[in-house]
């Protein structure tokens, strides 16, 4: 893989477009193992993401095998305990606001369309709290993916570094597609940072950004037939001549 930033432009544009447009949030994975070489390759490609003054704010923790399974057990237990005793929510607060404190249109409309579209596909009704809980807990099992990624950032950095981080995460997801793999970026883990950070050995100055599942998507699971719509370019673009 060339690391030369002055290399000629990519000529196989269709492959680049396909990697981007075929990316989806897979919610069911096969147990097929992913080699360390493949993961390192994906992260190497992703590290070419831009960042302000080349700060490269990303820190990545790769969980496989026993380390992955142990974290799954810890966070699923916490998720169950939180449902049984909602007062525990104070212990599991996200360190930064991923979502708004007050939802407005059109964002709340898209959120509802996404949620009920997924639950509808799975046959989960609005009042079925038990199945909702179990489906949400699939996040904390990495949707059965063999590889779990946790991403942290130093708290001393500014909000702009989260913009940089987003480009790095997107690079991972697109590079994974080039390897025939799928991902699911997961902010759901953020509330359990007090469990995750010690588990992965993060330093005191690190903040959890999100998690991500990585693996081969299960082509036979209907949940992977769920694809979210996108607004047309005309709805979010203003042309100025």
């Amino acid at each position: 893989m060339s690391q030369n930033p002055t290399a000629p432009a990519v000529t196989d544009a269709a492959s680049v477009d396909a990697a981007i447009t075929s990316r989806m949030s897979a919610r069911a994975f096969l147990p097929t193992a992913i080699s360390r070489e493949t993961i390192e390759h994906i992260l190497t490609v992703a590290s070419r993401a831009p960042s302000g003054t080349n700060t490269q704010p990303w820190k990545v923790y790769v969980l496989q095998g026993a380390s992955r399974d142990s974290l799954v057990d810890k966070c699923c237990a916490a998720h169950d305990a939180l449902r049984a005793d909602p007062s525990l929510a104070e212990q599991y607060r996200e360190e930064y606001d991923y979502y708004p404190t007050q939802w407005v249109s059109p964002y709340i409309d898209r959120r509802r369309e996404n949620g009920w579209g997924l639950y509808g596909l799975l046959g989960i009704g609005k009042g079925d709290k038990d199945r909702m809980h179990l489906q949400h807990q699939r996040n904390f099992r990495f949707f059965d993916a063999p590889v779990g990624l946790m991403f942290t950032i130093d708290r001393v950095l500014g909000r702009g570094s989260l913009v940089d981080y987003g480009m790095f995460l997107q690079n991972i997801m697109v590079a994974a597609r080039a390897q025939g793999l799928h991902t699911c970026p997961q902010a759901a883990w953020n509330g359990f940072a007090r469990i995750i950070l010690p588990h992965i050995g993060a330093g005191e100055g690190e903040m959890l950004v999100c998690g991500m599942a990585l693996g081969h998507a299960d082509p036979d699971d209907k949940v992977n037939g769920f694809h979210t719509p996108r607004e047309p370019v005309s709805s979010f673009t203003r042309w100025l001549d």
Side-chain angles (χ1 to χ4, degrees):
M1 183 190 66
S2 173
Q3 293 280 328
N4 182 5
T6 62
V10 175
T11 55
D12 188 7
S15 293
V16 177
D17 289 354
I20 295 171
T21 57
S22 67
R23 185 216 66 80
M24 65 173 189
S25 292
R27 292 178 174 86
F29 290 85
L30 299 173
T32 310
I34 311 300
S35 70
R36 177 167 178 164
E37 180 183 26
T38 298
I39 299 169
E40 286 185 342
H41 176 80
I42 291 170
L43 294 174
T44 299
V45 171
S47 72
R48 293 305 308 174
S51 58
T53 63
N54 199 34
T55 49
Q56 303 174 68
W58 35 82
K59 293 186 179 181
V60 186
Y61 297 85
V62 182
L63 294 101
Q64 298 172 280
S67 65
R68 173 209 173 278
D69 296 346
S70 177
L71 182 63
V72 165
D73 290 344
K74 291 176 184 178
C75 289
C76 285
H79 185 237
D80 287 338
L82 185 57
R83 187 191 183 197
D85 183 3
S87 69
L88 294 175
E90 272 303 310
Q91 299 181 28
Y92 299 116
R93 295 179 64 87
E94 297 180 352
E95 196 160 344
Y96 72 95
D97 293 330
Y98 185 85
Y99 292 112
T101 55
Q102 181 178 357
W103 288 92
V104 297
S105 291
Y107 313 110
I108 184 61
D109 307 310
R110 295 170 186 164
R111 176 181 173 89
R112 287 170 176 161
E113 179 186 34
N114 181 74
W116 293 122
L118 175 62
Y119 284 171
L121 177 67
L122 297 175
I124 301 175
K126 291 186 178 182
D128 197 340
K129 302 297 184 182
D130 290 339
R131 291 188 65 194
M132 286 182 187
H133 177 77
L134 291 174
Q135 179 59 34
H136 186 61
Q137 192 169 97
R138 295 279 296 148
N139 279 281
F140 309 122
R141 300 183 185 278
F142 291 108
F143 298 105
D144 297 328
V147 180
L149 304 173
M150 288 294 164
F151 303 96
T152 71
I153 190 171
D154 283 327
R155 291 186 180 91
V156 297
L157 295 172
R159 284 183 291 179
S161 289
L162 289 175
V163 176
D164 301 337
Y165 222 121
M167 292 183 277
F168 173 67
L169 294 171
Q170 176 72 1
N171 272 5
I172 290 176
M173 293 183 276
V174 173
R177 291 299 302 124
Q179 300 298 314
L181 302 174
H182 272 292
T183 55
C184 186
Q186 301 169 274
W189 292 96
N190 292 6
F192 295 128
R194 64 180 297 171
I195 296 173
I196 297 166
L197 294 175
H199 182 90
I200 62 178
E204 290 185 6
E206 293 178 51
M207 178 181 76
L208 185 66
V209 174
C210 68
M212 184 182 291
L214 170 68
H216 291 277
D218 185 347
D220 297 324
D221 195 307
K222 64 181 179 181
V223 74
N224 286 333
F226 179 69
H227 298 285
T228 53
R230 291 295 184 271
E231 293 294 312
V233 172
S234 59
S235 74
F236 60 78
T237 305
R238 180 180 179 188
W239 301 90
L240 304 173
D241 295 323

